[in-house]
Amino acid sequence: MRSLLVIVLAAGEGTRMRSDRPKVLHALAGRTMLSHVLDTAMQAGAAHLAVVVGPGHDAVAAEARRTAPEAEVFVQAERRGTADAVLAARAAIERGFDDVVVMYGDTPLVRPATLTGLRTPLADGAGVAVLGFRPADPTGYGRLLTSGGELFAIREEEDATAEEKAIGLCNAGLMAFDGRLALDLFGRIGNANAKGEFYLTDAVEIARTLGRRAGFHEAAVAEVAGVNSRLQLAAAEALMQTRLRRAALGGGATLVAPETVFFSYDTKVGRDVVIEPHVVFGLNVRVEDGATVRSFTHMEGARIGPGAIVGPFARLRPGADLGKDVHVGNFVEIKASELSAGVKVNHLSYVGDTSVGERTNVGAGTITCNYDGFRKHRTVIGADSFIGTNTLLVAPVSVGERAYIGTGSVITDDVPPDALAIARARQVNKPGLAARLRERLSAGLLPKK
């Protein structure tokens, strides 16, 4: 096993994003681009991570440490090119690693296996390896000049001949270096160019002058899509969603209209799950085997148990925990509540901070009144209970097992097991009053409103 240091360059301002947020903190599938990149590096076996940020980018440093607590953060004081940015992490490089890989915080779709492939030439004796790709239109990209599996140079388009411009293999930006050679290479890179910057790509030709071979590894176009604008962010999101949808389908789920379902990076979907069109998965959602999620449902921080049915038009908020064969129907919201096996909340209800026992039926229009303006309170409903339509359960309150709550009740006190509870205002009928009111209205004796 060759030891690996991954340096992630994340110092860009992201001016074209037109945002107060640093570019690498914009999200794909519920996760920042920087977090995606760091996770890829860790999955690829990075023994150490170094993140290079710009001055004052404390939020970027905090996100790096949140994702990878052991990561070291370095500051690039001035924007003087990619090689200068890498040298900001000199202290990490000096510790000595077999391989040093440079990634970019705004290129979030690279897979761990691609990093492994990029390192392969190093294991075969190369001093440098470059990640390449073949875009449909190579205009604007640096071309990789290769022969017999060996890389000779990276030629920027403005310097390329007509023959070189016809080359389809382009530079994706990611590079790998023999750790014993890396600092020497970086130190030899100059800035004799139009912008006066230190370009990491110069390392290829420098390595060759030192007698070291340069290699390359080719990646799929979709993996190396960089993000510099909102338009490119949307395109990257589409690519990420395609990847997540294929994973769900490959795992045995049915997506009736895959292009309308949106996953988060951490969504877990079991076998024989059916997901209807227009469903959105927020962070931390798990759907277990055989469940059905109907159209226009939104979920976040929720578990849907085996065989459960959710929606259409349902909302599961954080802490919603649905057991086996639970039914949550249209226009129902569940928050911080456990619904045990067989519970039914079929329509027009809010259940928050509640525990519901097995097989209980919660009627339409039921609301658990969990907030008194100062604190949240819990409701506990026992198994095999029946909660009648339009019931208000004013927490903290408990309903015992097999209890029956009459329609339209406002329950403020605990209900014992097997009890029938009805709590509503007494109805009063006033014969003929409606007709007399209409007569007075017609005579102009009552206001119009």
Side-chain angles (χ1 to χ4, degrees):
M1 294 291 293
R2 296 172 60 87
S3 61
L4 171 63
L5 165 67
V6 172
I7 301 173
V8 179
L9 304 187
E13 296 292 338
T15 304
R16 282 185 282 169
M17 298 293 287
R18 298 188 179 275
S19 173
D20 294 331
R21 184 187 308 163
K23 177 171 61 172
V24 298
L25 298 187
H26 287 263
L28 296 179
R31 188 183 212 181
T32 64
M33 292 193 286
L34 177 60
S35 184
H36 279 292
V37 172
L38 291 171
D39 184 65
T40 294
M42 290 186 287
Q43 288 188 53
H48 196 83
L49 292 168
V51 182
V52 179
V53 305
H57 281 191
D58 295 339
V60 177
E63 175 68 356
R65 294 188 178 105
R66 186 194 65 80
T67 304
E70 302 302 319
E72 280 190 281
V73 177
F74 300 91
V75 177
Q76 183 186 17
E78 299 179 61
R79 296 172 58 83
R80 302 195 304 168
T82 49
D84 180 70
V86 170
L87 279 174
R90 176 187 289 273
I93 302 169
E94 287 175 341
R95 293 193 183 95
F97 295 88
D98 295 320
D99 299 342
V100 176
V101 170
V102 178
M103 300 182 70
Y104 294 86
D106 61 1
T107 308
L109 297 173
V110 177
R111 296 178 185 270
T114 298
L115 288 191
T116 301
L118 177 61
R119 297 171 62 196
T120 298
L122 303 182
D124 293 338
V128 182
V130 176
L131 191 65
F133 73 118
R134 297 182 186 273
D137 180 6
T139 303
Y141 293 104
R143 308 304 204 276
L144 300 189
L145 309 186
T146 67
S147 178
E150 191 171 338
L151 175 65
F152 289 92
I154 301 175
R155 188 79 74 234
E156 298 304 325
E157 182 163 281
E158 56 268 26
D159 300 322
T161 65
E163 184 180 359
E164 290 169 342
K165 287 180 180 178
I167 295 172
L169 185 61
C170 299
N171 177 27
L174 279 71
M175 299 181 69
F177 303 89
D178 182 332
R180 296 163 298 181
L181 181 66
L183 282 175
D184 187 23
L185 281 178
F186 303 151
R188 292 171 183 264
I189 294 174
N191 66 339
N193 52 64
K195 291 187 176 181
E197 294 188 352
F198 298 86
Y199 294 131
L200 198 59
T201 50
D202 290 350
V204 172
E205 293 190 68
I206 293 173
R208 292 185 61 80
T209 64
L210 296 176
R212 296 297 299 273
R213 184 167 53 84
F216 65 95
H217 178 73
E218 190 170 335
V221 173
E223 282 193 61
V224 296
V227 175
N228 291 298
S229 67
R230 301 278 186 169
L231 182 61
Q232 291 176 343
L233 181 67
E237 179 72 46
L239 291 169
M240 178 68 77
Q241 290 300 328
T242 296
R243 183 182 295 181
L244 294 170
R245 291 164 189 155
R246 287 176 175 173
L249 292 164
T254 293
L255 277 59
V256 177
E259 68 281 4
T260 70
V261 176
F262 289 83
F263 292 105
S264 286
Y265 78 97
D266 61 351
T267 305
K268 295 180 174 59
V269 179
R271 295 178 61 176
D272 297 315
V273 168
V274 176
I275 302 173
E276 294 183 355
H278 304 290
V279 172
V280 176
F281 292 86
L283 292 171
N284 189 28
V285 175
R286 183 168 86 252
V287 185
E288 298 185 1
D289 294 352
T292 298
V293 182
R294 299 200 187 282
S295 294
F296 300 102
T297 293
H298 188 284
M299 296 155 286
E300 180 183 3
R303 182 187 75 93
I304 300 173
I309 300 174
V310 177
F313 295 99
R315 184 183 182 197
L316 302 185
R317 291 170 58 193
D321 189 347
L322 279 52
K324 185 176 186 293
D325 296 327
V326 164
H327 289 189
V328 170
N330 49 290
F331 305 106
V332 172
E333 181 176 337
I334 309 292
K335 189 271 291 186
S337 298
E338 303 84 42
L339 277 58
S340 300
V343 168
K344 291 180 174 59
V345 190
N346 278 325
H347 35 210
L348 302 163
S349 296
Y350 169 69
V351 178
D353 298 288
T354 300
S355 298
V356 185
E358 295 181 352
R359 297 173 299 280
T360 285
N361 186 87
V362 178
T366 295
I367 295 175
T368 58
C369 307
N370 57 327
Y371 184 47
D372 63 8
F374 301 95
R375 294 167 297 174
K376 298 290 179 69
H377 302 280
R378 288 197 68 79
T379 297
V380 178
I381 304 173
D384 298 302
S385 296
F386 181 90
I387 311 299
T389 299
N390 240 30
T391 293
L392 302 182
L393 297 164
V394 183
V397 70
S398 65
V399 176
E401 295 182 353
R402 301 173 301 281
Y404 191 110
I405 307 299
T407 294
S409 293
V410 179
I411 303 299
T412 58
D413 298 318
D414 292 348
V415 178
D418 295 303
L420 167 64
I422 301 176
R424 56 185 179 231
R426 185 179 181 86
Q427 180 174 322
V428 178
N429 295 332
K430 304 258 184 198
L433 180 58
R436 292 196 296 274
L437 289 173
R438 283 193 294 271
E439 291 171 0
R440 295 187 68 187
L441 180 61
S442 298
L445 299 178
L446 288 178
K448 293 293 184 181
K449 291 186 179 179

